[in-house]
Amino acid sequence: QHDAIMLVQQPNVDISEVTTSMWAHEEDPGVQLLGCIAITKLLQKDINDPPSSLRIALSATASVVNAMKAHPNEMIVQEKACGALKLLAPADSRREVSMVASGAVAAIVAAMQAHVGDANVQQEACAAIAAIVQHGGGDRATVVASVSGVTAILNAIAAHPQEKNVQKEGCHALLQLTDFANTASLPELPRTQTEPLLTQAKESFPDECGQMVDTLMGRIS
């Protein structure tokens, strides 16, 4: 365990070593946390190298989702795992990488539902959903909606009215989802619930949310 913690923090660690350590110590939240952070660093380093990012995603996606499933009550693990999935999203549907078959989308929404009061989890989860839908289109938007992801985003916005980053990422996630309203199966956003939340986001953070809210207002039923 100590060796695994040391290994995944090495600056030149390989993705195979990270994921092997995560699977070998799946019961240890510390290893899972540091593994997710290591995966994020590797992806940030290779952000402009799609083949390398895909190589990472092929083994990392399942490892990150497993960390989330193994430690549902560890908010910091959920937060860092969502951050990793956001960066893994561009590889979705390439080779064997799937944000749906891996359980990633369901795990992200489950984290949101379990930790409504944690602003960091909500921020990273909304950002991950936005990235998955941005890269995966209407099909992924439908999946997010099918696991109550739209409700989870609205709940995040409602629970953290003064958290700029939650408001921004929540609005962005709704914007990405509704971009595919014509090709995805989405629930209608009820104006009575949605309009007050969006209005408050725009009033509190006009620079970050104003333009997105104006677009969303034209899309809600």
Side-chain angles (χ1 to χ4, degrees):
Q1 175 193 342
H2 178 259
D3 290 347
I5 285 174
M6 298 305 292
L7 174 67
V8 297
Q9 294 184 88
Q10 297 288 334
N12 58 345
V13 68
D14 186 74
I15 186 59
S16 62
E17 296 172 311
V18 175
T19 55
T20 299
S21 295
M22 290 175 75
W23 286 108
H25 301 279
E26 63 179 350
E27 77 295 336
D28 187 311
V31 174
Q32 302 308 308
L33 168 64
L34 293 168
C36 288
I37 292 171
I39 289 166
T40 299
K41 286 179 179 174
L42 286 168
L43 288 162
Q44 286 169 336
K45 191 171 69 176
D46 291 341
I47 205 145
N48 296 315
D49 184 357
S52 182
S53 295
L54 178 58
R55 186 179 82 85
I56 294 168
L58 283 165
S59 60
T61 306
S63 302
V64 172
V65 174
N66 188 60
M68 297 179 79
K69 290 179 177 176
H71 300 282
N73 300 320
E74 297 283 350
M75 287 181 280
I76 187 73
V77 173
Q78 300 296 316
E79 174 196 334
K80 298 304 181 186
C82 286
L85 289 172
K86 173 180 67 179
L87 296 179
L88 288 163
D92 189 16
S93 299
R94 293 170 57 201
R95 301 254 308 265
E96 299 90 51
V97 181
S98 170
M99 290 290 154
V100 177
S102 66
V105 171
I108 292 165
V109 175
M112 297 177 77
Q113 292 167 336
H115 304 291
V116 176
D118 189 282
N120 293 328
V121 171
Q122 299 302 319
Q123 174 192 333
E124 292 292 350
C126 286
I129 288 174
I132 289 168
V133 174
Q134 181 183 350
H135 292 284
D139 175 63
R140 293 316 190 229
T142 298
V143 173
V144 170
S146 74
V147 293
S148 304
V150 176
T151 303
I153 295 165
L154 292 173
N155 287 343
I157 294 171
H160 301 279
Q162 298 309 315
E163 293 284 350
K164 179 178 70 177
N165 289 330
V166 176
Q167 298 297 305
K168 184 176 77 171
E169 296 298 349
C171 288
H172 185 224
L174 289 176
L175 199 65
Q176 290 292 345
L177 285 162
T178 55
D179 274 348
F180 299 100
N182 293 331
T183 56
S185 176
L186 298 176
E188 292 199 343
L189 294 174
R191 183 173 286 277
T192 50
Q193 181 192 3
T194 311
E195 192 169 16
L197 294 175
L198 295 178
T199 301
Q200 184 171 27
K202 180 179 177 178
E203 287 174 356
S204 298
F205 307 106
D207 293 343
E208 292 81 8
C209 301
Q211 205 168 0
M212 291 190 288
V213 167
D214 289 344
T215 303
L216 284 165
M217 286 296 201
R219 296 177 177 180
I220 59 180
S221 55

